[in-house]
Amino acid sequence: MSDRTPLMAGNWKMNLDWKQSLALVEDLGGQLKGKDLGGVEAAVLPPFVNIRTVQTAVDAGKLPIAYGGQDLSAHESGAYTGEVSGPMLTALGCTYVAVGHSERREYHGETEQVTNAKVNAALAAGLTPILCVGEGLDERKAGKQVEYTLAQVEGGLEGLTAEQVGGLVIAYEPVWAIGTGEVATPDDAQEVCAAVRDWVRTAHGDQAADAVRVLYGGSVKSSNVAELMERPDVDGALVGGASLKAEEFAKIVGYRAA
Ligand code: 13P
């Protein structure tokens, strides 16, 4: 087992209004609080408008849950209608922010340059980016999953120092496994997560490679998380659908106890 702290992050996507978010975080917190989680860290990424509610519940209940945004602006402030900046998230007590999720890339045309600018904006605001990468079905069928994913890693991390890279979270989320119920096999996840770490080792050295956390995402559930986590280069999971149910997500976070 590595020294890296496993991270289970729930990406709520565009689900739940503020009252539902409050109910979910309180329920989840109640299930996690006081439990021996075996050193596993839990985080949730609510929609922007619900982060304040989550902050209040986490603070009031001293819940063992970190939280963050699903996206952020590449800009720090100013005339960017509809956007939310890194400093705004920091001021709400956010730890993490997802960057370059495949749904941002696909539906909002986010390029490698935009993703790289957002990673930098997150770091400048003191947030830990969760850089999301992963191939589509065509690349997978062509056996190009490693090459495609590493190109996204390289683009997203351009210009970063080894120290910055070591502090990051990188989430390998093959697009064909997201929301489809079709989870990658542990071998598939390990193959690409190991390749990501090897890339970091070559580009930024041993310290960064040994510290960077590489998560797997795509149809993770309580029934498949343990076998994914057995693989040496899988340091956690980015969970969509299964993070919307407190009991199920608590089981995922508690996989070591199960
Ligand atoms: P699912 O867990 O619903 O497949 O979603 C994965 C995901 O996109 C998390 O960011």
Side-chain angles (χ1 to χ4, degrees), residues 12-22 25 45-56 67 70 92:
W12 292 357
K13 306 195 179 183
M14 196 174 73
N15 294 295
L16 312 180
D17 64 22
W18 74 269
K19 286 183 186 165
Q20 294 166 323
S21 292
L22 179 61
V25 77
L45 309 179
F48 287 136
V49 293
N50 301 336
I51 294 178
R52 175 70 175 153
T53 301
V54 166
Q55 176 191 32
T56 306
Y67 53 90
Q70 299 172 13
L92 286 169

Side-chain angles (χ1 to χ4, degrees), residues 9 11 13 101-103 132 173 177-181 217-220 238-243:
N11 175 7
K13 306 195 179 183
H101 191 281
S102 61
E103 289 149 18
C132 304
E173 298 204 299
I178 295 178
T180 58
S219 299
V220 172
L238 186 54
V239 184
S243 72

Side-chain angles (χ1 to χ4, degrees), residues 4 12 21-22 25 27 36-37 88 90 98 103 125-126 141 150 160 177 186 192-194 204 238 242-243 257-258:
R4 296 180 291 274
W12 292 357
S21 292
L22 179 61
V25 77
D27 193 353
D36 178 6
L37 302 174
M88 292 174 188
T90 310
E103 289 149 18
K141 280 185 176 158
L150 292 187
L160 266 61
V192 184
C193 290
H204 294 286
L238 186 54
S243 72

Side-chain angles (χ1 to χ4, degrees), residues 85-105:
S85 73
M88 292 174 188
L89 296 176
T90 310
L92 286 169
C94 289
T95 303
Y96 295 105
V97 63
V99 174
H101 191 281
S102 61
E103 289 149 18
R104 300 296 313 170
R105 295 177 193 258

Side-chain angles (χ1 to χ4, degrees), residues 64-182:
I65 302 172
Y67 53 90
Q70 299 172 13
D71 182 33
L72 83 168
S73 174
H75 306 283
E76 198 184 321
S77 66
Y80 301 100
T81 302
E83 297 221 51
V84 172
S85 73
M88 292 174 188
L89 296 176
T90 310
L92 286 169
C94 289
T95 303
Y96 295 105
V97 63
V99 174
H101 191 281
S102 61
E103 289 149 18
R104 300 296 313 170
R105 295 177 193 258
E106 186 178 349
Y107 306 135
H108 301 272
E110 289 194 5
T111 61
E112 228 60 88
Q113 286 81 357
V114 169
T115 300
N116 180 244
K118 289 186 173 189
V119 167
N120 278 289
L123 291 169
L127 298 162
T128 298
I130 302 176
L131 173 67
C132 304
V133 294
E135 82 285 353
L137 191 55
D138 289 349
E139 293 85 24
R140 166 65 53 173
K141 280 185 176 158
K144 302 232 185 285
Q145 62 274 13
V146 167
E147 159 183 352
Y148 184 91
T149 303
L150 292 187
Q152 289 183 328
V153 171
E154 190 168 0
L157 303 187
E158 203 185 314
L160 266 61
T161 64
E163 198 187 342
Q164 286 173 324
V165 173
L168 289 183
V169 178
I170 301 174
Y172 167 56
E173 298 204 299
V175 178
W176 49 269
I178 295 178
T180 58
E182 191 171 337

